[in-house]
């Protein structure tokens, strides 16, 4: 079922990618022999138990961590070159907002840094705050917003850069079910309309299956890919799809993969 | 007046008043106790019949008391602060002005030096290891021993007046500023630094958009300590330069001539100057933090 991607055209290409953290109590094998090719326009979810290396893999792609074995390319170049050419937008597990900046100025921060003109900054800020339903909150400070609203600001900020590749680390992990469903739909809509490539980390099986064109299941110690599942759900889908047999079948397979990972863990 | 209004409003007026009143009572009692030996000696020599109320009355109007009574200091303050023209060498306002100007110059220099060192320490790893021990060692040298040497050394190369005194204030001031600024510049969470990396931001952008604003609350906490130290530094610096004026010179003259009341007045003026400066920095802090955090005057 695994999609085959032409290595040259892959947005992310890894071959036997490994990463070992050296800590005081010896090396921690966070990633081991990851072989992953992500084609342009794919929506990939990384799912796996806590500590299996999902964040680490995302950070290697983003050049926030350096791999210790194998190889990796982003847009055909090294992660570092990709980062320097501002190839991706990254949404962290926490909102990571600047407490002394208003919502508006938080969203405009990366645009300021990248030298986008002021009118363009204002326009994009308004556009993406609307997208996450935060129009009207421009002049609030982060401490005046709920946790969910803060995370939506952080998503608007990553989107405002309009990157072709979006790396999202459990962006909806801290949100309530209803907000999460709502943002899931919006993200799906955005992905369908813009054709961006998304690498999305999550703990939630329904979320992964609902959003993704492909679900990558990881197991811990050392972090590796144990299953790679294509989801051929219709492009235009609503949350109701979660009740259909196709959906449940894929969800079942993901769950089996996670279980296998866990039994491996118990050995 | 507005200050008192505010105190009344915040319900702190009564507690503050109580503390001040008790201190004055203790002070009067202390004046009787500390001056009693001298007085009782005198009574016995002259064979005077005395009781405790006579002792108290005499103790509170002595010419050369060990501890002057509050009203005696009050009279001296009125004489030297209000009655004298501010240009007069006998006016405490004149002397306070001298101390204030060298404190402020020293404070400004110390703050700049502190910030510069902090930036060096945060950005250059070798400076972090090599500089910090020296900075800490510098503060273990007693300033009383160091001050005359600095004045003499600078004097011998022709630098006199305000500047050498400011150097001593600076010497005391830069320390809290370095410590606070290093902490402040390092205060942004790793996630914010990582985020800057994902934007591929330059070190200058990271400094001005992230590290510097994050350090402002730390800077002000340090400045409040530094401004008080700058007054201490200026006064200590004036002790060996007695002739040139300043509150420190008044302290020295007072002790030279056994004028305890003069010492107390100078001390009180010095604490008022310190208190005003600390309050002023506190006000600036509130304004700065409010601007930084959108109306919320709390630390980031
Ligand atoms: N900087 C680091 N130094 C040492 N070990 C690390 C470091 N970062 C992560 N690890 C280890 O690497 C492993 C993978 O961590 P990672 O954060 O990628 O997990 P995760 O899958 O994102 O977990 P979660 O779902 O809880 O976020 C963990 O065992 C963790 O302890
Ligand atoms: Mg994680």
């Amino acid at each position: 079922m695994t999609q085959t991607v032409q290595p040259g055209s892959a947005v992310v290409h890894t071959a036997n990618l490994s990463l070992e953290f050296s800590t005081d109590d010896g090396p921690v094998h966070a990633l081991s022999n990851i072989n992953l090719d992500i084609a342009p326009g794919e929506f990939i979810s990384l799912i796996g138990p806590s500590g299996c290396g999902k964040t680490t893999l995302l950070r290697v792609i983003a050049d926030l961590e350096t791999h210790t074995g194998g190889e990796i390319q982003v847009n055909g170049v090294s992660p570092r070159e990709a980062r320097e050419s501002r190839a991706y937008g990254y949404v962290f597990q926490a909102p990571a907002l600047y407490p002394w900046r208003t919502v508006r100025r938080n969203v405009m921060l990366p645009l300021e840094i990248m030298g986008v003109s002021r009118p363009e900054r204002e326009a994009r800020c308004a556009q993406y705050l609307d997208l996450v339903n935060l129009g009207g909150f421009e002049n609030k400070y982060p401490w005046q917003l709920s946790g969910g609203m803060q995370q939506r600001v952080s998503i608007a900020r990553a989107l405002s850069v309009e990157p072709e590749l979006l790396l999202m680390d459990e962006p909806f992990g801290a949100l309530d079910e209803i907000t999460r469903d709502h943002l899931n739909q919006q993200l799906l809509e955005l992905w369908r309309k813009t054709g961006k490539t998304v690498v999305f980390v999550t703990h939630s099986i329904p979320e992964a299956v609902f959003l993704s064109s492909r679900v990558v299941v990881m197991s811990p110690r050392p972090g590796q890919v144990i299953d790679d599942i294509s989801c051929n759900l219709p492009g235009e889908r609503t949350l109701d799809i979660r009740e259909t047999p196709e959906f449940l079948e894929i969800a079942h397979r993901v769950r089996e993969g996670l279980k296998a990972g866990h039994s491996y863990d118990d050995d | 007046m507005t200050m008192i209004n505010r105190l009344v409003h915040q319900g702190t007026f009564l507690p503050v008043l109580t503390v001040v009143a008790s201190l004055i009572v203790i002070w009067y009692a202390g004046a009787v106790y500390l001056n009693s030996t001298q007085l009782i000696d005198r009574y016995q020599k002259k064979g005077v019949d005395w009781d405790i109320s006579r002792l108290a009355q005499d103790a509170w109007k002595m010419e050369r008391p060990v501890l002057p009574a509050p009203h005696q200091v009050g009279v001296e303050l009125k004489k030297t602060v209000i009655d004298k023209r501010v240009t007069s060498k006998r006016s405490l306002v004149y002397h306070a002005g001298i101390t204030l100007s060298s404190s402020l110059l020293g404070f400004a220099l110390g703050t700049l030096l502190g910030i510069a060192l902090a930036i060096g320490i945060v950005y250059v790893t070798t400076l972090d290891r090599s500089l910090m021990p020296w900075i800490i060692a510098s503060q273990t040298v007693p300033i009383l021993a160091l001050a005359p040497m600095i004045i003499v050394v600078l004097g011998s190369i022709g630098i006199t007046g305000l500047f050498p005194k400011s150097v001593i204030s600076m010497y005391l001031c830069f320390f809290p500023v370095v410590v606070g600024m290093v902490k402040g510049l390092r205060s942004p969470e790793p996630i914010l630094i990582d985020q800057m990396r994902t934007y591929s931001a330059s070190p200058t952008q990271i400094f001005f958009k992230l590290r510097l604003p994050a350090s402002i609350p730390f800077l002000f906490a340090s400045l409040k300590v530094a401004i008080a130290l700058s007054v201490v530094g200026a006064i200590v610096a004036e002790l060996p330069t007695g002739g040139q004026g300043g509150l420190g010179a008044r302290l020295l003259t007072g002790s030279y001539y056994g004028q305890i009341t003069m010492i107390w007045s100078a001390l009180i003026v010095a604490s008022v100057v310190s208190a005003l400066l600390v309050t002023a920095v506190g006000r600036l802090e509130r304004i700065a933090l409010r601007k930084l955090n959108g109306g919320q005057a709390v630390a980031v």
Side-chain angles (χ1 to χ4, degrees):
Chain A
M1 282 265 278
T2 308
Q3 274 174 320
T4 46
V5 184
Q6 302 294 323
S9 71
V11 177
V12 177
H13 164 77
T14 76
N16 296 321
L17 179 75
S18 307
L19 189 146
E20 240 180 49
F21 287 112
S22 41
T23 65
D24 291 344
D25 354 297
V28 175
H29 221 131
L31 297 174
S32 163
N33 289 318
I34 307 270
N35 291 297
L36 197 62
D37 280 295
I38 301 175
E42 276 194 292
F43 194 123
I44 299 242
S45 282
L46 300 177
I47 192 167
S50 180
C52 72
K54 306 180 292 293
T55 298
T56 307
L57 178 54
L58 217 55
R59 286 174 63 87
V60 173
I61 299 173
D63 187 39
L64 295 174
E65 219 77 72
T66 312
H67 60 294
T68 52
E71 56 177 277
I72 174 165
Q73 287 191 337
V74 179
N75 288 338
V77 294
S78 72
R80 189 196 172 106
E81 285 167 290
R83 175 174 66 78
E84 283 170 353
S85 67
R86 289 161 177 156
Y88 65 82
Y90 197 113
V91 179
F92 287 85
Q93 224 164 331
L97 299 179
Y98 285 50
W100 56 86
R101 283 180 168 247
T102 58
V103 165
R104 194 171 124 270
R105 296 193 55 237
N106 261 295
V107 174
M108 295 201 311
L109 173 74
L111 303 176
E112 276 170 35
I113 288 172
M114 297 174 189
V116 174
S117 74
R118 188 169 189 111
E120 176 72 17
R121 292 206 298 257
E122 300 277 0
R124 285 207 215 166
C125 172
Q127 177 190 348
Y128 288 102
L129 278 177
D130 266 349
L131 189 81
V132 295
N133 276 336
L134 282 177
F137 289 89
E138 289 84 357
N139 295 320
K140 295 266 184 279
Y141 282 83
W143 53 270
Q144 295 169 312
L145 303 181
S146 72
M149 290 160 95
Q150 292 181 15
Q151 192 60 357
R152 274 142 68 196
V153 175
S154 127
I155 291 166
R157 180 177 52 188
L159 292 176
S160 73
V161 179
E162 303 191 333
E164 282 310 303
L165 171 61
L166 205 51
L167 306 173
M168 305 177 91
D169 192 356
E170 294 190 46
F172 309 138
L175 303 187
D176 67 279
E177 197 96 356
I178 294 170
T179 317
R180 190 173 182 146
D181 282 350
H182 175 75
L183 286 174
N184 275 344
Q185 274 177 302
Q186 279 182 319
L187 180 60
L188 191 65
E189 189 69 4
L190 181 91
W191 172 67
R192 264 198 338 104
K193 276 199 298 212
T194 60
K196 288 183 192 307
T197 313
V198 183
V199 185
F200 187 93
V201 170
T202 180
H203 273 132
S204 155
I205 298 174
E207 185 174 68
V209 179
F210 176 69
L211 287 173
S212 316
S213 59
R214 212 169 126 204
V215 178
V216 172
V217 184
M218 292 178 68
S219 80
R221 250 153 284 159
Q224 52 192 333
V225 175
I226 50 171
D227 204 356
D228 191 335
I229 310 159
S230 286
C231 321
N232 295 311
L233 296 172
E236 216 159 325
R237 47 197 122 130
T238 59
L239 291 165
D240 298 334
I241 203 165
R242 293 187 294 196
E243 256 92 275
T244 64
E246 295 89 335
F247 185 97
L248 293 172
E249 195 188 320
I250 300 167
H252 178 74
R253 186 168 155 194
V254 175
R255 190 167 291 114
E256 288 303 309
L258 286 172
K259 265 193 218 152
H262 266 297
S263 61
Y264 173 87
D265 193 21
D266 290 341
D267 282 346
Chain B
M1 234 18 234
T2 56
M3 175 113 168
I4 291 176
N5 276 341
R6 178 135 37 88
L7 287 179
V8 172
H9 212 71
Q10 293 171 344
T12 48
F13 187 64
L14 212 60
V16 169
L17 198 68
T18 316
V19 170
V20 171
S22 351
L23 282 179
I24 290 179
V25 169
I26 293 170
W27 190 347
Y28 270 110
V32 175
Y33 177 71
L34 287 169
N35 296 333
S36 61
T37 349
Q38 213 181 333
L39 283 171
I40 294 170
D41 251 12
R42 212 182 292 163
Y43 293 150
Q44 279 168 353
K45 257 185 224 151
K46 294 187 186 163
V48 181
D49 216 14
W50 61 278
D51 60 3
I52 192 79
S53 81
R54 165 114 196 239
L55 178 70
Q57 274 167 18
D58 287 342
W60 292 336
K61 57 174 193 221
M62 283 177 73
E63 195 69 29
R64 288 175 177 237
V66 175
L67 178 64
H71 68 266
Q72 287 179 299
V73 177
V75 169
E76 169 81 8
L77 279 174
K78 181 174 178 302
K79 234 174 34 195
T80 50
V81 174
I82 299 168
D83 295 347
K84 290 268 179 326
R85 279 186 305 127
V86 293
T87 48
S88 154
K89 289 232 161 176
R90 308 200 125 190
S91 162
L92 270 185
V93 179
Y94 166 81
H95 291 286
I98 294 179
T99 305
L100 184 67
S101 46
S102 67
S103 308
L104 286 180
L105 181 60
F107 173 70
L109 293 174
T111 303
L112 289 179
L113 176 65
I115 292 175
L117 286 174
I119 292 172
I121 287 170
V122 169
Y123 275 90
V124 188
T125 347
T126 48
L127 284 186
D128 184 18
R129 296 217 200 92
S130 59
L131 220 50
M132 213 50 193
W134 287 106
I135 289 173
I136 291 165
S138 78
Q139 300 300 304
T140 63
V141 180
I143 191 68
L144 264 174
L146 205 61
M149 294 200 310
I150 293 177
I151 302 277
V152 168
V153 167
L154 287 178
S156 74
I157 55 170
I159 303 170
T160 53
L162 191 64
F163 186 71
K165 293 196 287 174
S166 303
V167 169
I168 290 156
S169 287
M170 178 183 83
Y171 189 89
L172 291 182
C173 276
F174 87 96
F175 183 68
V177 176
V178 174
V179 174
M181 270 310 267
V182 166
K183 192 150 190 241
L185 291 172
R186 283 186 179 149
S187 68
E189 289 172 42
I191 190 171
L192 292 181
I193 304 277
D194 278 346
Q195 193 180 52
M196 277 294 193
R197 253 173 86 85
T198 71
Y199 302 151
S200 184
S202 70
T204 332
Q205 286 172 325
I206 297 180
F207 180 77
F208 283 107
K209 292 191 189 292
L210 179 56
R211 290 194 191 273
L212 190 64
S215 73
I216 297 299
F218 295 83
L219 174 64
F220 273 101
S222 296
L223 289 186
K224 277 196 275 192
V225 180
I227 192 86
L229 284 177
S230 77
V231 178
V232 173
I235 289 176
V236 168
E238 284 160 356
L239 292 177
T241 57
Q244 298 173 18
L247 292 173
R250 288 289 282 193
L251 288 176
L252 197 72
T253 319
S255 86
Y256 190 73
Y257 294 109
Q259 289 288 346
I260 307 287
T261 318
M262 192 166 153
I263 297 180
W264 278 89
S265 324
L267 276 182
I268 283 179
V269 171
S271 18
V272 169
V273 168
S274 292
L276 288 178
L277 289 174
V278 173
T279 313
V281 174
R283 284 273 170 88
L284 278 181
E285 178 183 37
R286 283 176 66 88
I287 294 170
L289 292 190
R290 189 164 283 173
K291 230 176 138 65
L292 200 62
N293 288 0
Q296 196 195 35
V298 298
V300 173

